[in-house]
Amino acid sequence: MQDLSELTQRASELDGNDPIAHIVEEYERPEGWIFFDSNSVGPVPKTARPAANALIDDWIALRRRGWAERDWVDMPAILGDLLSPMIGAEKGTTVVCDNTTINLYKATGHALAVNQERTIILTQKDNFPTDIHVVQGFERANPSLEVRYVETEEEALAALSSDVAVCTFSHVGYKSGQRWNMEKFNRAAQALGVLTIWDVSHSAGAVPVLARESNADYIVGCGYKYLSTGPGGPAFIYVRPDLSEKAWPPVCGWMGHADIYAFAGDYEPHGGIRRFISGTPMVGANQIAHCAAQIYQKFAPKDIWARHESLSNFFIEALQQSCGDLGVEIASPLNYNQRGGHVTFKAPGAGHVVEALIDAKVVSSFRKPDAIRFGLSPVSLTHAQVVEAVGRLQKILKEEIWRDPKYANVSV
Amino acid sequence: MQDLSELTQRASELDGNDPIAHIVEEYERPEGWIFFDSNSVGPVPKTARPAANALIDDWIALRRRGWAERDWVDMPAILGDLLSPMIGAEKGTTVVCDNTTINLYKATGHALAVNQERTIILTQKDNFPTDIHVVQGFERANPSLEVRYVETEEEALAALSSDVAVCTFSHVGYKSGQRWNMEKFNRAAQALGVLTIWDVSHSAGAVPVLARESNADYIVGCGYKYLSTGPGGPAFIYVRPDLSEKAWPPVCGWMGHADIYAFAGDYEPHGGIRRFISGTPMVGANQIAHCAAQIYQKFAPKDIWARHESLSNFFIEALQQSCGDLGVEIASPLNYNQRGGHVTFKAPGAGHVVEALIDAKVVSSFRKPDAIRFGLSPVSLTHAQVVEAVGRLQKILKEEIWRDPKYANVSV
């Protein structure tokens, strides 16, 4: 088994040469702990606590006047504009609201209204459950629709036809960490009039998502993972500008009306993306989300993505070097362009190892039956922390610490 | 013009005899201010600030482990159970999630699936915009559906037929403050197989809502008004227990699955109300909502409702006595059983009066063209505050303070 001194030296050089190394200062970093769970809950902006207290202050002092005196009503669009560079979108094309499931539903319903003469919905067999459930709900409600399942990118391309209304795919598989080629697929789909919905929950905020450049139709995703909008924080939806106005959204609501202050009875959808806002914004959650959104204004997305590439390539290298002979096997693609925010690997004891890692102050996550996932935050981790964590893992595997009965119960 | 000494004396007696007068101690009451805007944003539980900070603590320390070590996942059902007495519902019949628009959508879609051979949706012409927009969205998406509009309870009863799939009504009109008779309407609807959805945003937490006793089919409502779940806090949905399982919800999502930890591809709806949860819960918002929900465990709903009746009847009496000769006219029904959480009245200068009241530290709200609304919180107001506020209003009207140019701009 290799000692880590060379890796430690490399980490020091990589951190030293990192042009945005100071980005980690924007986030809380509790002493001693190393978090690799940004694929579940991202890091905490230092401004989150004052923002939460400011909201309580406003609630006490302003009450309903907050609607007029604060940005409570406009925040879904404000946040959409602030986060849009992280998904390669232009201003005015993205709103932050609801959760990913609801936004998947809105995108699917809208796409089916645009392509209403078509009957097939494609999705991935291994897609995240909620993504599959949403389209199964549409299939159930409309007997003329049929959901078809594909496993690989090749299969997906082959399944395209002029009968397909819409595809709903995860950009990055939540288990495998495998990233699909959005641009290539969008081009093939568009040639046949097929609409595409990409769930970028496991890529946005970590690896490049290029809404405009890839000519995506719909993009939805989770805010509380790499993008740090806070536990259960709001999700987002992007719709290609020339597509938004081709149909009403399925959920028509007051906050998506063309003129909310008219209190009009008859629904008239807002021009562009705002029609995809449904009802009252999640004011408190948005205020927390705004903290992370502001940090992104200080750094170029390409620098953040480059940082993720460096951290995760280095993680794989360190893992292979130091734990390769301890039974660790990388399950994610080794080619960075085929990977998402997290690296999945297999190791003896899997779930128990994840529990033992927590005792060693390293937080990762486990997915049945035998996958360990390390979600790498490009905004709060350092290369030095990567080596440190790999060292702690090495010790757990080498000394078989994970066999201790106290790690028998594995949380999911 | 009457002086207020007799009313002040009456208020003192009413407060003195109030069996739950101490409930107001549970809420923040900033010095000098009197809030009558619980029809927009309700009062702040004193526990809200520590709860917000505890969430930030958990986010920093636990990150993804919060899903397992805290009640983040189960909170929609926990909150539903805690709040259900305030809508006269049994445990296990209500969940707290999403916003009112989304919940109206879920209820309507479910009702249309249950009554799928029927084609008519009834709603109120003066319903809150989002309630109307939701059903217009269904009408747009399905050409066989037709929305019909009614104005009065009599008209609504007369419009019932075996072609009507579902009615979606506000229990209390957001402008008029008029309360409809749920029980009477439910009975008539049920006799014809018509399903009913009640939006109780302007009644829940103020006046009796009796889900079970009135045999309501669906009830949805806003959390952040009288129920104090915080600005943009989560809404709720109740579905009659024997009705939930008659169809899938329109938005099928992971969190409504029968076994969320199975990460199953195929959707299988949870038994009962939990199928109406869509995706990831609003963790932070739920934590704030939990503060108010806990307060409700210490007081009987009937005592809270009695307190609202006393406060709002006293408000009308005080208003008529002290401002009747200053042009004030009550627009809400005078019969308490026909009123909701707020009292609407007309006064010379309306919107300007509301602005001048804010300068006098009384917060109410204005609705075009000429309505002033006082939303009376039964948990944070006292009878003494009611007289005090009416006195400040009297002064503004008598001295025509509202004509000051600084009150020219009226916020909505």
Side-chain angles (χ1 to χ4, degrees):
Chain A
M1 198 174 76
Q2 194 153 343
D3 87 76
L4 302 170
S5 56
E6 191 229 306
L7 286 166
T8 305
Q9 176 58 30
R10 285 271 314 290
S12 168
E13 284 162 22
L14 287 165
D15 285 331
N17 294 328
D18 177 356
I20 59 164
H22 57 292
I23 195 171
V24 303
E25 301 300 330
E26 304 277 352
Y27 296 85
E28 300 279 358
R29 294 188 302 155
E31 185 63 27
W33 286 86
I34 311 177
F35 292 97
F36 289 93
D37 59 347
S38 293
N39 54 319
S40 177
V41 175
V44 189
K46 284 182 178 166
T47 49
R49 188 186 300 277
N53 281 281
L55 179 79
I56 302 290
D57 292 340
D58 282 347
W59 184 11
I60 293 172
L62 297 178
R63 297 278 292 268
R64 67 101 181 148
R65 291 172 296 156
W67 297 118
E69 294 183 26
R70 294 289 181 267
D71 287 325
W72 293 359
V73 169
D74 289 327
M75 198 48 84
I78 292 171
L79 289 173
D81 282 349
L82 293 176
L83 289 179
S84 57
M86 289 304 292
I87 59 163
E90 314 245 276
K91 280 196 198 310
T93 59
T94 308
V95 286
V96 168
C97 55
D98 300 321
N99 58 41
T100 306
T101 301
I102 302 280
N103 287 328
L104 280 165
Y105 184 88
K106 292 181 209 162
T108 307
H110 189 265
L112 289 171
V114 172
N115 267 347
Q116 58 185 288
E117 73 293 350
R118 299 179 177 216
T119 57
I120 295 166
I121 303 173
L122 291 186
T123 192
Q124 292 144 322
K125 186 159 179 274
D126 280 339
N127 210 343
F128 188 75
T130 221
D131 299 63
I132 297 177
H133 300 160
V134 164
V135 294
Q136 289 179 338
F138 278 100
E139 187 185 40
R140 172 91 167 196
N142 185 342
S144 66
L145 292 174
E146 182 197 341
V147 177
R148 290 191 189 164
Y149 303 86
V150 296
E151 299 204 44
T152 64
E153 290 187 81
E154 293 65 38
E155 230 182 279
L157 286 164
L160 287 172
S161 79
S162 56
D163 293 328
V164 177
V166 59
C167 308
T168 170
F169 293 144
S170 279
H171 185 207
V172 170
Y174 79 106
K175 274 191 282 200
S176 66
Q178 189 170 344
R179 186 186 345 162
W180 282 25
N181 186 328
M182 269 176 61
E183 190 177 352
K184 182 177 169 192
F185 192 84
N186 289 341
R187 210 180 306 120
Q190 238 134 25
L192 291 163
V194 176
L195 294 166
T196 56
I197 300 171
W198 293 96
D199 179 346
V200 298
S201 293
H202 288 279
S203 50
V207 305
V209 176
L210 302 171
R212 185 165 175 246
E213 216 175 295
S214 75
N215 206 18
D217 296 317
Y218 306 86
I219 293 178
V220 301
C222 188
Y224 58 81
K225 299 182 189 290
Y226 299 97
L227 292 170
S228 296
T229 65
F236 57 88
I237 178 168
Y238 160 91
V239 182
R240 214 183 64 211
D242 62 307
L243 192 58
S244 302
E245 298 182 12
K246 288 197 176 171
W248 285 16
V251 184
C252 299
W254 178 40
M255 286 288 163
H257 193 277
D259 180 5
I260 60 173
Y261 296 109
F263 291 91
D266 280 337
Y267 182 68
E268 186 195 331
H270 200 288
I273 190 66
R274 282 210 187 200
R275 68 180 59 194
F276 289 90
I277 305 171
S278 57
T280 305
M282 303 153 68
V283 174
N286 286 346
Q287 183 135 335
I288 301 298
H290 194 243
C291 299
Q294 282 178 305
I295 296 172
Y296 287 119
Q297 308 318 300
K298 305 185 204 172
F299 300 90
K302 69 171 177 39
D303 288 339
I304 293 172
W305 295 330
R307 204 160 185 280
H308 183 271
E309 180 167 359
S310 176
L311 285 163
S312 58
N313 282 342
F314 184 63
F315 171 66
I316 288 181
E317 190 188 331
L319 194 61
Q320 285 174 321
Q321 269 188 38
S322 61
C323 303
D325 57 358
L326 295 169
V328 162
E329 224 177 288
I330 310 291
S332 296
L334 294 177
N335 177 345
Y336 183 72
N337 292 330
Q338 293 170 1
R339 263 201 332 269
H342 63 281
V343 172
T344 304
F345 61 94
K346 305 195 172 190
H352 311 295
V353 170
V354 168
E355 297 299 319
L357 275 167
I358 289 172
D359 248 9
K361 297 192 172 180
V362 174
V363 181
S364 62
S365 66
F366 170 66
R367 272 288 173 267
K368 288 176 189 169
D370 59 357
I372 299 177
R373 298 180 305 171
F374 270 51
L376 291 107
S377 168
V379 298
S380 67
L381 280 176
T382 63
H383 296 84
Q385 284 182 308
V386 166
V387 180
E388 177 61 32
V390 167
R392 296 181 197 173
L393 172 63
Q394 187 190 47
K395 183 177 158 74
I396 286 165
L397 291 172
K398 189 183 164 205
E399 300 175 14
E400 298 195 345
I401 292 168
W402 58 268
R403 290 195 189 272
D404 190 311
K406 69 178 167 176
Y407 305 125
N409 286 326
V410 175
S411 72
V412 286
Chain B
M1 197 175 77
Q2 194 155 342
D3 87 76
L4 302 171
S5 56
E6 190 229 306
L7 286 166
T8 305
Q9 176 59 30
R10 285 270 316 289
S12 168
E13 284 161 23
L14 287 165
D15 285 330
N17 294 328
D18 177 356
I20 59 164
H22 57 292
I23 195 171
V24 302
E25 301 300 330
E26 305 277 352
Y27 297 85
E28 301 278 358
R29 294 187 302 154
E31 185 62 28
W33 286 87
I34 311 177
F35 292 96
F36 289 93
D37 58 348
S38 293
N39 54 319
S40 177
V41 175
V44 189
K46 284 182 178 166
T47 49
R49 188 186 300 276
N53 281 281
L55 179 79
I56 302 290
D57 292 340
D58 282 347
W59 184 11
I60 293 172
L62 297 178
R63 297 277 292 268
R64 67 100 181 148
R65 291 173 297 156
W67 297 118
E69 295 183 26
R70 295 288 181 268
D71 287 325
W72 293 359
V73 170
D74 289 327
M75 198 48 85
I78 292 171
L79 288 173
D81 282 349
L82 293 176
L83 290 179
S84 57
M86 290 303 293
I87 58 164
E90 313 246 276
K91 281 197 198 310
T93 60
T94 308
V95 286
V96 168
C97 56
D98 300 321
N99 58 41
T100 306
T101 301
I102 302 281
N103 287 328
L104 280 165
Y105 184 87
K106 292 181 211 163
T108 307
H110 189 265
L112 289 171
V114 172
N115 267 347
Q116 58 185 291
E117 72 293 350
R118 299 177 177 218
T119 57
I120 295 166
I121 303 173
L122 291 186
T123 192
Q124 292 144 323
K125 186 160 180 273
D126 280 339
N127 209 342
F128 189 75
T130 221
D131 300 63
I132 297 177
H133 300 160
V134 165
V135 295
Q136 289 179 338
F138 278 100
E139 186 185 39
R140 172 90 168 196
N142 184 342
S144 66
L145 292 174
E146 183 198 341
V147 177
R148 290 192 188 163
Y149 303 86
V150 296
E151 299 205 42
T152 63
E153 291 186 80
E154 293 65 39
E155 230 182 279
L157 287 164
L160 287 172
S161 79
S162 55
D163 293 328
V164 178
V166 59
C167 308
T168 170
F169 293 144
S170 279
H171 185 207
V172 170
Y174 79 106
K175 275 191 281 200
S176 66
Q178 189 169 345
R179 186 187 344 163
W180 282 25
N181 186 327
M182 269 177 60
E183 190 177 352
K184 182 177 168 191
F185 191 84
N186 289 341
R187 210 180 305 121
Q190 237 134 25
L192 291 163
V194 176
L195 294 166
T196 56
I197 301 170
W198 293 96
D199 179 346
V200 298
S201 293
H202 288 279
S203 50
V207 305
V209 176
L210 302 171
R212 186 165 174 246
E213 215 175 295
S214 75
N215 206 18
D217 296 317
Y218 306 86
I219 294 179
V220 301
C222 189
Y224 58 80
K225 299 182 190 291
Y226 298 96
L227 292 170
S228 296
T229 66
F236 57 88
I237 178 168
Y238 160 91
V239 182
R240 214 183 64 211
D242 62 306
L243 192 59
S244 302
E245 298 182 12
K246 287 197 176 170
W248 285 16
V251 184
C252 299
W254 178 41
M255 286 289 163
H257 193 277
D259 179 6
I260 60 173
Y261 296 110
F263 291 91
D266 280 337
Y267 182 68
E268 186 195 331
H270 200 288
I273 190 66
R274 283 211 187 199
R275 68 180 59 194
F276 289 90
I277 305 171
S278 56
T280 305
M282 303 154 69
V283 174
N286 286 346
Q287 183 135 335
I288 301 298
H290 194 241
C291 299
Q294 282 178 305
I295 296 172
Y296 287 119
Q297 308 318 300
K298 305 185 204 172
F299 300 90
K302 69 171 177 41
D303 289 339
I304 293 173
W305 296 330
R307 204 162 185 278
H308 183 271
E309 180 167 358
S310 176
L311 285 163
S312 59
N313 282 342
F314 184 62
F315 172 66
I316 288 181
E317 190 188 329
L319 194 61
Q320 285 174 321
Q321 270 188 38
S322 61
C323 303
D325 58 357
L326 295 169
V328 162
E329 224 177 288
I330 310 291
S332 296
L334 294 177
N335 177 345
Y336 183 72
N337 292 329
Q338 293 170 2
R339 263 202 331 270
H342 63 280
V343 172
T344 304
F345 61 94
K346 306 196 172 190
H352 311 295
V353 170
V354 167
E355 296 299 319
L357 275 168
I358 289 172
D359 248 8
K361 297 193 172 179
V362 174
V363 181
S364 62
S365 66
F366 169 66
R367 273 289 174 266
K368 287 176 190 169
D370 59 358
I372 299 176
R373 297 180 305 171
F374 269 50
L376 291 107
S377 168
V379 297
S380 66
L381 280 176
T382 63
H383 296 84
Q385 284 182 308
V386 166
V387 180
E388 177 61 32
V390 167
R392 296 180 197 173
L393 171 63
Q394 187 190 48
K395 182 177 159 74
I396 286 164
L397 291 172
K398 189 183 164 204
E399 300 175 14
E400 298 195 345
I401 291 168
W402 59 268
R403 290 195 189 272
D404 191 310
K406 69 179 167 177
Y407 305 125
N409 287 325
V410 175
S411 72
V412 285

